[in-house]
Protein backbone atom coordinates (compact mmCIF):
# COMPACT_ATOMS: atom_id res chain seq x y z
CA UNK A 1 0.00 0.00 0.00
CA UNK A 2 1.41 3.38 -1.04
CA UNK A 3 1.68 5.87 1.81
CA UNK A 4 2.00 9.60 1.11
CA UNK A 5 1.66 12.19 3.85
CA UNK A 6 2.65 15.70 4.87
CA UNK A 7 6.30 14.73 5.20
CA UNK A 8 6.35 13.90 1.50
CA UNK A 9 4.82 17.30 0.70
CA UNK A 10 7.30 19.10 2.96
CA UNK A 11 10.27 17.33 1.37
CA UNK A 12 8.86 18.21 -2.05
CA UNK A 13 8.66 21.86 -1.02
CA UNK A 14 12.19 21.65 0.41
CA UNK A 15 13.53 20.28 -2.88
CA UNK A 16 11.74 22.98 -4.84
CA UNK A 17 12.92 25.72 -2.50
CA UNK A 18 16.48 24.49 -2.93
CA UNK A 19 16.05 24.84 -6.67
CA UNK A 20 14.89 28.39 -6.03
CA UNK A 21 17.85 29.01 -3.75
CA UNK A 22 20.18 27.63 -6.41
CA UNK A 23 18.61 29.93 -8.97
CA UNK A 24 18.75 32.85 -6.55
CA UNK A 25 22.47 32.30 -5.97
CA UNK A 26 23.42 31.46 -9.55
CA UNK A 27 21.34 34.06 -11.38
CA UNK A 28 23.25 37.02 -9.94
CA UNK A 29 26.53 35.38 -10.99
CA UNK A 30 25.21 34.45 -14.42
CA UNK A 31 23.61 37.83 -15.08
CA UNK A 32 26.55 39.77 -13.66
CA UNK A 33 29.43 37.82 -15.20
CA UNK A 34 27.95 36.68 -18.50
CA UNK A 35 27.03 38.99 -21.40
CA UNK A 36 23.41 38.97 -22.60
CA UNK A 37 24.33 36.97 -25.71
CA UNK A 38 25.74 34.16 -23.58
CA UNK A 39 22.63 34.25 -21.36
CA UNK A 40 20.60 33.92 -24.55
CA UNK A 41 22.61 30.83 -25.57
CA UNK A 42 22.10 29.41 -22.06
CA UNK A 43 18.35 29.96 -22.42
CA UNK A 44 18.40 28.05 -25.73
CA UNK A 45 20.37 25.24 -24.04
CA UNK A 46 17.68 24.94 -21.35
CA UNK A 47 14.96 24.78 -24.01
CA UNK A 48 16.81 22.07 -25.92
CA UNK A 49 17.19 20.14 -22.66
CA UNK A 50 13.42 20.36 -22.24
CA UNK A 51 13.01 19.19 -25.83
CA UNK A 52 15.05 16.05 -25.14
CA UNK A 53 12.38 14.88 -22.72
CA UNK A 54 10.05 14.52 -25.70
CA UNK A 55 11.99 11.48 -26.89
CA UNK A 56 10.71 9.73 -23.78
CA UNK A 57 7.47 9.92 -25.78
CA UNK A 58 5.13 9.38 -22.87
CA UNK A 59 6.71 6.23 -21.45
CA UNK A 60 7.91 7.84 -18.20
CA UNK A 61 4.44 8.80 -16.88
CA UNK A 62 3.00 5.56 -18.28
CA UNK A 63 5.65 3.44 -16.58
CA UNK A 64 5.27 5.45 -13.34
CA UNK A 65 1.51 4.95 -13.31
CA UNK A 66 1.81 1.21 -14.02
CA UNK A 67 4.48 0.74 -11.33
CA UNK A 68 2.00 2.36 -8.93
CA UNK A 69 -0.69 -0.08 -10.08
CA UNK A 70 1.69 -3.00 -9.37
CA UNK A 71 2.51 -1.79 -5.86
CA UNK A 72 -1.25 -1.30 -5.32
CA UNK A 73 -1.83 -5.02 -5.97
CA UNK A 74 -2.65 -5.18 -9.68
CA UNK A 75 -1.65 -8.46 -11.37
CA UNK A 76 -2.42 -7.50 -14.97
CA UNK A 77 -1.75 -4.29 -16.86
CA UNK A 78 -4.32 -3.03 -19.35
CA UNK A 79 -4.06 -0.86 -22.43
CA UNK A 80 -7.23 0.96 -21.31
CA UNK A 81 -8.54 1.37 -17.77
CA UNK A 82 -7.23 -0.38 -14.66
CA UNK A 83 -7.85 -3.63 -12.84
CA UNK A 84 -9.91 -3.02 -9.68
CA UNK A 85 -8.28 -4.22 -6.46
CA UNK A 86 -9.98 -4.16 -3.07
CA UNK A 87 -6.84 -4.61 -0.97
CA UNK A 88 -3.47 -3.85 -2.50
CA UNK A 89 -1.32 -6.12 -0.30
CA UNK A 90 0.17 -8.54 -2.86
CA UNK A 91 2.94 -7.34 -5.17
CA UNK A 92 3.45 -9.24 -8.41
CA UNK A 93 7.25 -9.15 -8.67
CA UNK A 94 7.20 -11.05 -11.95
CA UNK A 95 5.14 -8.24 -13.46
CA UNK A 96 7.46 -5.64 -11.89
CA UNK A 97 10.49 -7.43 -13.32
CA UNK A 98 8.86 -7.42 -16.75
CA UNK A 99 8.18 -3.68 -16.50
CA UNK A 100 11.82 -2.99 -15.53
CA UNK A 101 13.04 -5.08 -18.47
CA UNK A 102 10.72 -3.19 -20.83
CA UNK A 103 11.89 0.17 -19.48
CA UNK A 104 15.57 -0.68 -20.02
CA UNK A 105 14.87 -1.92 -23.54
CA UNK A 106 12.94 1.22 -24.49
CA UNK A 107 15.27 3.80 -22.94
CA UNK A 108 18.44 2.31 -24.45
CA UNK A 109 17.02 2.80 -27.94
CA UNK A 110 15.62 6.25 -27.15
CA UNK A 111 18.96 7.46 -25.82
CA UNK A 112 20.79 6.35 -28.98
CA UNK A 113 18.25 8.23 -31.13
CA UNK A 114 18.59 11.32 -28.93
CA UNK A 115 22.38 11.37 -29.21
CA UNK A 116 22.18 11.15 -33.00
CA UNK A 117 19.58 13.95 -33.19
CA UNK A 118 21.51 16.27 -30.86
CA UNK A 119 24.88 15.78 -32.53
CA UNK A 120 23.49 16.34 -36.04
CA UNK A 121 20.41 18.58 -36.18
CA UNK A 122 21.14 20.12 -32.80
CA UNK A 123 24.71 21.02 -33.74
CA UNK A 124 23.47 22.59 -36.99
CA UNK A 125 20.98 24.69 -35.01
CA UNK A 126 23.68 25.88 -32.58
CA UNK A 127 25.96 26.66 -35.55
CA UNK A 128 23.23 28.84 -37.09
CA UNK A 129 22.78 30.77 -33.83
CA UNK A 130 26.50 31.50 -33.58
CA UNK A 131 26.81 33.21 -36.96
CA UNK A 132 26.61 36.67 -35.38
CA UNK A 133 27.84 35.66 -31.91
CA UNK A 134 30.43 38.08 -30.51
CA UNK A 135 31.81 35.73 -27.87
CA UNK A 136 34.04 32.65 -28.10
CA UNK A 137 32.22 29.96 -30.16
CA UNK A 138 34.70 27.27 -29.03
CA UNK A 139 33.40 27.59 -25.47
CA UNK A 140 29.81 27.16 -26.70
CA UNK A 141 30.70 24.03 -28.68
CA UNK A 142 32.49 22.42 -25.72
CA UNK A 143 29.48 23.16 -23.50
CA UNK A 144 27.21 21.79 -26.22
CA UNK A 145 29.11 18.48 -26.39
CA UNK A 146 28.84 18.05 -22.60
CA UNK A 147 25.13 18.89 -22.80
CA UNK A 148 24.57 16.28 -25.55
CA UNK A 149 26.34 13.60 -23.52
CA UNK A 150 24.62 14.23 -20.19
CA UNK A 151 21.16 14.56 -21.79
CA UNK A 152 21.68 11.18 -23.45
CA UNK A 153 22.62 9.54 -20.14
CA UNK A 154 19.77 11.31 -18.37
CA UNK A 155 17.25 9.85 -20.82
CA UNK A 156 18.74 6.35 -20.65
CA UNK A 157 18.46 6.27 -16.84
CA UNK A 158 15.06 7.99 -16.68
CA UNK A 159 13.34 4.78 -15.61
CA UNK A 160 14.82 5.18 -12.10
CA UNK A 161 12.43 8.11 -11.70
CA UNK A 162 9.47 5.96 -12.72
CA UNK A 163 10.41 3.30 -10.18
CA UNK A 164 10.83 5.72 -7.26
CA UNK A 165 7.73 7.79 -8.02
CA UNK A 166 5.63 4.75 -8.88
CA UNK A 167 6.46 3.06 -5.58
CA UNK A 168 5.46 6.24 -3.75
CA UNK A 169 8.96 7.01 -2.44
CA UNK A 170 8.30 10.73 -2.73
CA UNK A 171 10.27 11.74 0.36
CA UNK A 172 13.31 9.70 -0.65
CA UNK A 173 13.22 10.96 -4.24
CA UNK A 174 13.09 14.58 -3.05
CA UNK A 175 15.95 14.00 -0.61
CA UNK A 176 17.98 12.76 -3.56
CA UNK A 177 16.98 15.84 -5.56
CA UNK A 178 18.22 18.03 -2.69
CA UNK A 179 21.60 16.28 -2.74
CA UNK A 180 21.79 16.65 -6.52
CA UNK A 181 20.88 20.33 -6.40
CA UNK A 182 23.48 20.95 -3.68
CA UNK A 183 26.17 19.35 -5.85
CA UNK A 184 25.00 21.35 -8.88
CA UNK A 185 25.04 24.60 -6.92
CA UNK A 186 28.48 24.06 -5.39
CA UNK A 187 30.20 23.07 -8.64
CA UNK A 188 28.44 25.77 -10.69
CA UNK A 189 29.38 28.60 -8.30
CA UNK A 190 33.04 27.58 -8.19
CA UNK A 191 33.40 27.13 -11.95
CA UNK A 192 31.43 30.29 -12.86
CA UNK A 193 33.62 32.37 -10.55
CA UNK A 194 36.67 30.81 -12.18
CA UNK A 195 35.37 32.12 -15.50
CA UNK A 196 34.21 28.92 -17.22
CA UNK A 197 30.84 30.42 -18.28
CA UNK A 198 28.55 27.98 -20.10
CA UNK A 199 30.95 25.10 -19.49
CA UNK A 200 30.56 25.67 -15.74
CA UNK A 201 26.76 25.33 -15.86
CA UNK A 202 26.59 22.19 -18.03
CA UNK A 203 29.43 20.52 -16.10
CA UNK A 204 27.56 21.14 -12.85
CA UNK A 205 24.41 19.71 -14.43
CA UNK A 206 26.33 16.61 -15.53
CA UNK A 207 27.72 16.00 -12.03
CA UNK A 208 24.28 16.46 -10.48
CA UNK A 209 22.54 14.05 -12.89
CA UNK A 210 25.13 11.29 -12.34
CA UNK A 211 24.86 11.51 -8.53
CA UNK A 212 21.03 11.67 -8.58
CA UNK A 213 20.78 8.60 -10.81
CA UNK A 214 23.22 6.60 -8.69
CA UNK A 215 21.38 7.43 -5.47
CA UNK A 216 18.00 6.68 -7.11
CA UNK A 217 19.25 3.24 -8.15
CA UNK A 218 20.41 2.52 -4.60
CA UNK A 219 17.13 3.78 -3.11
CA UNK A 220 14.85 1.53 -5.17
CA UNK A 221 16.90 -1.62 -5.63
CA UNK A 222 17.13 -2.57 -1.97
CA UNK A 223 18.39 -5.98 -0.88
CA UNK A 224 14.79 -7.16 -0.40
CA UNK A 225 13.60 -6.08 -3.84
CA UNK A 226 16.71 -7.46 -5.53
CA UNK A 227 16.14 -10.81 -3.82
CA UNK A 228 12.46 -10.88 -4.82
CA UNK A 229 13.33 -10.04 -8.42
CA UNK A 230 16.03 -12.73 -8.56
CA UNK A 231 13.60 -15.36 -7.26
CA UNK A 232 10.80 -14.42 -9.67
CA UNK A 233 10.29 -15.31 -13.32
CA UNK A 234 9.82 -12.16 -15.36
CA UNK A 235 6.76 -11.43 -17.46
CA UNK A 236 7.86 -10.99 -21.05
CA UNK A 237 8.63 -7.40 -21.93
CA UNK A 238 6.50 -7.70 -25.09
CA UNK A 239 3.45 -8.37 -22.91
CA UNK A 240 4.23 -5.29 -20.84
CA UNK A 241 4.86 -3.07 -23.85
CA UNK A 242 1.58 -4.13 -25.48
CA UNK A 243 -0.26 -2.91 -22.39
CA UNK A 244 1.72 0.31 -21.98
CA UNK A 245 2.49 1.34 -25.56
CA UNK A 246 -0.96 2.59 -26.70
CA UNK A 247 -1.32 5.19 -23.94
CA UNK A 248 2.40 5.97 -23.93
CA UNK A 249 2.12 6.88 -27.61
CA UNK A 250 -0.84 9.14 -26.88
CA UNK A 251 0.97 10.76 -23.96
CA UNK A 252 4.02 11.20 -26.18
CA UNK A 253 1.96 13.00 -28.79
CA UNK A 254 0.42 15.07 -26.00
CA UNK A 255 3.91 15.92 -24.70
CA UNK A 256 4.93 16.96 -28.20
CA UNK A 257 1.89 19.20 -28.38
CA UNK A 258 2.67 20.54 -24.90
CA UNK A 259 6.25 21.30 -25.90
CA UNK A 260 5.04 23.20 -28.95
CA UNK A 261 2.63 25.12 -26.72
CA UNK A 262 5.21 25.97 -24.03
CA UNK A 263 8.60 25.99 -25.76
CA UNK A 264 8.19 26.52 -29.51
CA UNK A 265 7.87 30.27 -28.97
CA UNK A 266 11.47 30.45 -27.77
CA UNK A 267 12.85 28.18 -30.52
CA UNK A 268 11.02 30.08 -33.28
CA UNK A 269 11.47 33.47 -31.63
CA UNK A 270 15.26 33.00 -31.51
CA UNK A 271 15.23 33.00 -35.33
CA UNK A 272 13.56 36.43 -35.46
CA UNK A 273 14.63 38.29 -32.31
CA UNK A 274 17.99 39.26 -30.84
CA UNK A 275 19.74 37.06 -28.28
CA UNK A 276 19.34 39.93 -25.79
CA UNK A 277 15.52 39.78 -26.18
CA UNK A 278 15.59 35.99 -25.92
CA UNK A 279 17.66 36.30 -22.74
CA UNK A 280 15.09 38.69 -21.23
CA UNK A 281 12.25 36.30 -22.15
CA UNK A 282 14.17 33.27 -20.87
CA UNK A 283 15.06 34.76 -17.47
CA UNK A 284 11.49 35.98 -16.93
CA UNK A 285 9.96 32.63 -17.86
CA UNK A 286 12.46 30.83 -15.64
CA UNK A 287 11.30 32.84 -12.64
CA UNK A 288 7.66 32.24 -13.54
CA UNK A 289 8.42 28.53 -13.88
CA UNK A 290 9.55 28.58 -10.24
CA UNK A 291 6.14 29.95 -9.26
CA UNK A 292 4.45 27.28 -11.37
CA UNK A 293 6.58 24.56 -9.81
CA UNK A 294 5.66 25.63 -6.30
CA UNK A 295 2.00 25.97 -7.24
CA UNK A 296 1.74 22.40 -8.51
CA UNK A 297 3.69 20.65 -5.76
CA UNK A 298 0.67 19.51 -3.73
CA UNK A 299 -1.10 17.72 -6.58
CA UNK A 300 2.14 16.36 -8.04
CA UNK A 301 3.14 14.84 -4.69
CA UNK A 302 -0.15 12.99 -4.41
CA UNK A 303 -0.22 11.77 -8.04
CA UNK A 304 0.77 8.16 -7.12
CA UNK A 305 -1.95 8.18 -4.44
CA UNK A 306 -4.49 9.42 -6.99
CA UNK A 307 -3.57 6.46 -9.21
CA UNK A 308 -4.06 4.14 -6.24
CA UNK A 309 -7.49 5.69 -5.54
CA UNK A 310 -8.42 4.94 -9.17
CA UNK A 311 -7.62 1.28 -8.55
CA UNK A 312 -9.84 1.40 -5.45
CA UNK A 313 -12.56 3.50 -7.19
CA UNK A 314 -12.36 6.15 -4.49
CA UNK A 315 -13.48 9.26 -6.40
CA UNK A 316 -14.31 11.19 -3.23
CA UNK A 317 -10.67 11.07 -2.11
CA UNK A 318 -9.51 12.18 -5.57
CA UNK A 319 -11.98 15.09 -5.48
CA UNK A 320 -10.62 16.28 -2.13
CA UNK A 321 -6.99 16.16 -3.32
CA UNK A 322 -7.85 17.94 -6.57
CA UNK A 323 -9.70 20.80 -4.87
CA UNK A 324 -6.97 21.33 -2.27
CA UNK A 325 -4.46 21.42 -5.11
CA UNK A 326 -6.53 24.02 -6.98
CA UNK A 327 -6.68 26.35 -3.97
CA UNK A 328 -2.91 26.08 -3.44
CA UNK A 329 -2.34 26.62 -7.17
CA UNK A 330 -4.26 29.90 -7.30
CA UNK A 331 -2.91 31.32 -4.02
CA UNK A 332 0.68 30.54 -5.02
CA UNK A 333 0.31 32.28 -8.37
CA UNK A 334 -1.22 35.35 -6.74
CA UNK A 335 1.52 35.68 -4.11
CA UNK A 336 4.36 34.75 -6.44
CA UNK A 337 3.06 36.90 -9.30
CA UNK A 338 2.69 40.03 -7.17
CA UNK A 339 6.19 39.51 -5.74
CA UNK A 340 7.68 39.18 -9.22
CA UNK A 341 5.88 42.25 -10.56
CA UNK A 342 6.81 44.40 -7.57
CA UNK A 343 10.33 43.19 -6.80
CA UNK A 344 11.61 41.60 -10.03
CA UNK A 345 13.15 44.58 -11.81
CA UNK A 346 14.37 46.02 -8.50
CA UNK A 347 16.14 42.74 -7.67
CA UNK A 348 18.00 42.67 -10.99
CA UNK A 349 19.03 46.28 -10.47
CA UNK A 350 20.53 45.42 -7.09
CA UNK A 351 22.88 42.85 -8.67
CA UNK A 352 23.69 45.09 -11.67
CA UNK A 353 22.36 42.47 -14.08
CA UNK A 354 23.33 42.81 -17.73
CA UNK A 355 20.00 41.15 -18.62
CA UNK A 356 16.63 42.66 -17.70
CA UNK A 357 13.17 41.14 -17.24
CA UNK A 358 10.39 41.78 -19.71
CA UNK A 359 8.06 44.73 -19.08
CA UNK A 360 5.43 44.35 -16.32
CA UNK A 361 2.65 44.12 -18.90
CA UNK A 362 4.35 41.17 -20.59
CA UNK A 363 5.14 39.58 -17.20
CA UNK A 364 1.46 39.75 -16.25
CA UNK A 365 0.46 38.09 -19.52
CA UNK A 366 3.14 35.44 -18.99
CA UNK A 367 1.82 34.74 -15.48
CA UNK A 368 -1.72 34.27 -16.78
CA UNK A 369 -0.45 31.95 -19.53
CA UNK A 370 1.55 29.93 -17.01
CA UNK A 371 -1.41 29.65 -14.60
CA UNK A 372 -3.65 28.42 -17.40
CA UNK A 373 -1.05 25.83 -18.47
CA UNK A 374 -0.47 24.66 -14.88
CA UNK A 375 -4.20 24.23 -14.35
CA UNK A 376 -4.45 22.29 -17.62
CA UNK A 377 -1.53 20.07 -16.59
CA UNK A 378 -3.16 19.22 -13.25
CA UNK A 379 -6.45 18.37 -14.95
CA UNK A 380 -4.56 16.18 -17.41
CA UNK A 381 -2.90 14.30 -14.56
CA UNK A 382 -6.29 13.55 -12.97
CA UNK A 383 -7.65 12.22 -16.26
CA UNK A 384 -4.49 10.18 -16.91
CA UNK A 385 -4.91 8.38 -13.58
CA UNK A 386 -7.73 6.44 -15.27
CA UNK A 387 -5.12 5.07 -17.72
CA UNK A 388 -6.87 6.94 -20.53
CA UNK A 389 -5.60 9.83 -22.67
CA UNK A 390 -8.62 11.70 -24.06
CA UNK A 391 -6.75 14.90 -24.88
CA UNK A 392 -3.87 13.77 -27.11
CA UNK A 393 -5.47 14.83 -30.41
CA UNK A 394 -6.37 18.25 -29.04
CA UNK A 395 -2.82 18.72 -27.71
CA UNK A 396 -1.27 17.96 -31.10
CA UNK A 397 -3.71 20.26 -32.93
CA UNK A 398 -3.03 23.07 -30.45
CA UNK A 399 0.73 22.60 -30.71
CA UNK A 400 0.76 22.62 -34.50
CA UNK A 401 -1.55 25.64 -34.53
CA UNK A 402 0.82 27.56 -32.27
CA UNK A 403 3.85 26.78 -34.43
CA UNK A 404 2.06 27.84 -37.62
CA UNK A 405 0.57 31.02 -36.12
CA UNK A 406 3.93 31.98 -34.57
CA UNK A 407 5.63 31.86 -37.98
CA UNK A 408 2.77 33.85 -39.54
CA UNK A 409 2.79 36.52 -36.82
CA UNK A 410 6.57 36.93 -36.89
CA UNK A 411 6.40 37.40 -40.65
CA UNK A 412 3.50 39.88 -40.60
CA UNK A 413 3.97 41.84 -37.38
CA UNK A 414 6.84 43.42 -35.46
CA UNK A 415 5.49 42.97 -31.94
CA UNK A 416 8.63 41.35 -30.55
CA UNK A 417 8.23 39.35 -27.34
CA UNK A 418 4.46 39.96 -27.26
CA UNK A 419 4.03 37.44 -30.11
CA UNK A 420 5.75 34.74 -28.04
CA UNK A 421 3.13 35.12 -25.30
CA UNK A 422 -0.10 36.06 -27.01
CA UNK A 423 -0.10 33.31 -29.65
CA UNK A 424 0.05 30.36 -27.15
CA UNK A 425 -2.52 32.10 -24.95
CA UNK A 426 -5.06 32.63 -27.76
CA UNK A 427 -4.71 29.05 -29.03
CA UNK A 428 -4.98 27.56 -25.52
CA UNK A 429 -8.08 29.47 -24.41
CA UNK A 430 -9.79 28.55 -27.67
CA UNK A 431 -10.27 24.97 -26.43
CA UNK A 432 -7.82 23.17 -24.15
CA UNK A 433 -7.68 25.68 -21.30
CA UNK A 434 -11.35 25.14 -20.41
CA UNK A 435 -12.19 21.73 -21.95
CA UNK A 436 -10.17 19.37 -19.74
CA UNK A 437 -10.62 21.13 -16.39
CA UNK A 438 -14.36 21.01 -17.13
CA UNK A 439 -14.09 17.27 -17.83
CA UNK A 440 -12.50 16.76 -14.41
CA UNK A 441 -15.23 18.82 -12.74
CA UNK A 442 -17.93 16.75 -14.46
CA UNK A 443 -16.31 13.40 -13.76
CA UNK A 444 -15.67 14.12 -10.08
CA UNK A 445 -19.10 15.77 -9.79
CA UNK A 446 -17.66 18.90 -8.20
CA UNK A 447 -20.13 21.56 -7.06
CA UNK A 448 -19.71 24.89 -5.24
CA UNK A 449 -20.53 23.21 -1.94
CA UNK A 450 -17.47 20.95 -2.33
CA UNK A 451 -15.14 23.92 -2.73
CA UNK A 452 -16.61 25.62 0.36
CA UNK A 453 -16.16 22.39 2.33
CA UNK A 454 -12.47 22.09 1.36
CA UNK A 455 -11.77 25.73 2.23
CA UNK A 456 -13.38 25.18 5.64
CA UNK A 457 -11.21 22.10 6.25
CA UNK A 458 -8.04 23.98 5.30
CA UNK A 459 -8.90 26.94 7.57
CA UNK A 460 -9.63 24.68 10.54
CA UNK A 461 -6.30 22.89 10.13
Amino acid sequence: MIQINRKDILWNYAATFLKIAAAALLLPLILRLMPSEMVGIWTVFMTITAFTSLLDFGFNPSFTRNVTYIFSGVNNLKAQGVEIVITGTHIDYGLLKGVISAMRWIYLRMSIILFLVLTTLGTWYIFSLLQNYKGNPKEVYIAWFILCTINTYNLYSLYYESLLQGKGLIKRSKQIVIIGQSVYLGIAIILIMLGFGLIAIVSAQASSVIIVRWLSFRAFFTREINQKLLETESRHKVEVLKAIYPNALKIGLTSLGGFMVQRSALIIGSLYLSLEEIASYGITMQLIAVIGGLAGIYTATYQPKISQFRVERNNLAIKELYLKGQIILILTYILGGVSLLVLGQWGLGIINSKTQLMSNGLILLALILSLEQSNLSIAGGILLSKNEVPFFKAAIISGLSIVIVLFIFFQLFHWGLLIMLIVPFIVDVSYQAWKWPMEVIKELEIINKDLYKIITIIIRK
Side-chain angles (χ1 to χ4, degrees), residues 26 34 42 45 139 142-151 180 183-192 196-211:
L26 284 184
M34 294 185 185
W42 174 52
F45 274 21
E139 176 187 354
I142 293 173
W144 173 246
F145 175 75
I146 297 172
L147 192 74
C148 291
T149 304
I150 198 59
N151 278 336
V183 170
Y184 165 70
L185 183 60
I187 293 176
I189 289 175
I190 293 171
L191 294 182
I192 289 173
F196 285 96
L198 286 174
I199 296 174
I201 300 174
V202 295
S203 297
Q205 289 172 339
S207 302
S208 175
V209 167
I210 291 170
I211 289 174

Side-chain angles (χ1 to χ4, degrees), residues 329-341:
L329 175 79
I330 293 170
L331 289 177
T332 305
Y333 264 96
I334 291 173
L335 294 174
V338 169
S339 300
L340 180 60
L341 287 167

Side-chain angles (χ1 to χ4, degrees), residues 44-56:
V44 171
F45 274 21
M46 290 192 297
T47 302
I48 291 173
T49 298
F51 171 75
T52 62
S53 64
L54 291 179
L55 275 183
D56 165 65

Side-chain angles (χ1 to χ4, degrees), residues 206-226:
S207 302
S208 175
V209 167
I210 291 170
I211 289 174
V212 165
R213 291 300 190 234
W214 180 73
L215 291 174
S216 298
F217 176 85
R218 293 287 300 271
F220 182 83
F221 289 100
T222 61
R223 181 178 299 178
E224 179 187 357
I225 284 192
N226 280 332

Side-chain angles (χ1 to χ4, degrees), residues 6 320 323-324 327 448-461:
R6 289 185 178 180
E320 181 177 339
L323 288 175
K324 285 181 179 178
I327 293 170
N448 291 336
K449 185 179 179 181
D450 294 321
L451 185 59
Y452 173 77
K453 179 180 177 183
I454 294 299
I455 292 174
T456 303
I457 292 173
I458 292 174
I459 292 173
R460 287 177 179 175
K461 287 184 179 181

Side-chain angles (χ1 to χ4, degrees), residues 217-420:
F217 176 85
R218 293 287 300 271
F220 182 83
F221 289 100
T222 61
R223 181 178 299 178
E224 179 187 357
I225 284 192
N226 280 332
Q227 188 63 35
K228 293 282 188 182
L229 293 175
L230 282 173
E231 295 172 352
T232 307
E233 183 178 351
S234 173
R235 301 275 189 98
H236 201 283
K237 63 176 176 287
V238 174
E239 174 189 343
V240 174
L241 290 172
K242 282 182 178 179
I244 293 176
Y245 180 78
N247 277 342
L249 177 62
K250 292 177 182 178
I251 296 172
L253 292 173
T254 301
S255 299
L256 178 60
F259 179 86
M260 289 188 286
V261 168
Q262 298 178 10
R263 302 282 184 168
S264 61
L266 192 145
I267 296 293
I268 296 171
S270 65
L271 301 175
Y272 292 90
L273 305 176
S274 68
L275 282 174
E276 287 82 358
E277 288 176 294
I278 294 300
S280 177
Y281 173 87
I283 292 299
T284 305
M285 297 307 291
Q286 184 180 350
L287 293 174
I288 292 175
V290 170
I291 298 172
L294 288 173
I297 280 179
Y298 184 88
T299 308
T301 302
Y302 277 101
Q303 197 62 47
K305 197 68 178 177
I306 291 171
S307 294
Q308 180 182 312
F309 287 144
R310 285 293 187 190
V311 171
E312 299 170 354
R313 289 188 175 176
N314 190 347
N315 274 10
L316 287 176
I318 296 174
K319 180 195 293 188
E320 181 177 339
L321 290 176
Y322 174 69
L323 288 175
K324 285 181 179 178
Q326 289 296 100
I327 293 170
I328 293 170
L329 175 79
I330 293 170
L331 289 177
T332 305
Y333 264 96
I334 291 173
L335 294 174
V338 169
S339 300
L340 180 60
L341 287 167
V342 174
L343 302 175
Q345 301 288 8
W346 173 79
L348 292 185
I350 291 293
I351 63 172
N352 296 319
S353 171
K354 297 177 182 178
T355 303
Q356 297 300 310
L357 297 179
M358 297 187 296
S359 67
N360 276 354
L362 292 178
I363 292 175
L364 181 59
L365 179 57
L367 283 165
I368 295 171
L369 175 63
S370 179
L371 172 59
E372 168 265 307
Q373 290 175 345
S374 295
N375 185 46
L376 174 60
S377 177
I378 289 174
I382 298 295
L383 296 174
L384 274 175
S385 65
K386 296 189 295 181
N387 201 29
E388 297 175 1
V389 193
F391 43 77
F392 77 98
K393 290 181 181 178
I396 284 293
I397 293 171
S398 293
L400 288 173
S401 299
I402 286 173
V403 170
I404 293 169
V405 177
L406 278 170
F407 275 116
I408 293 173
F409 271 49
F410 274 118
Q411 290 288 345
L412 296 179
F413 307 107
H414 300 285
W415 297 347
L417 294 175
L418 177 61
I419 294 176
M420 298 171 67

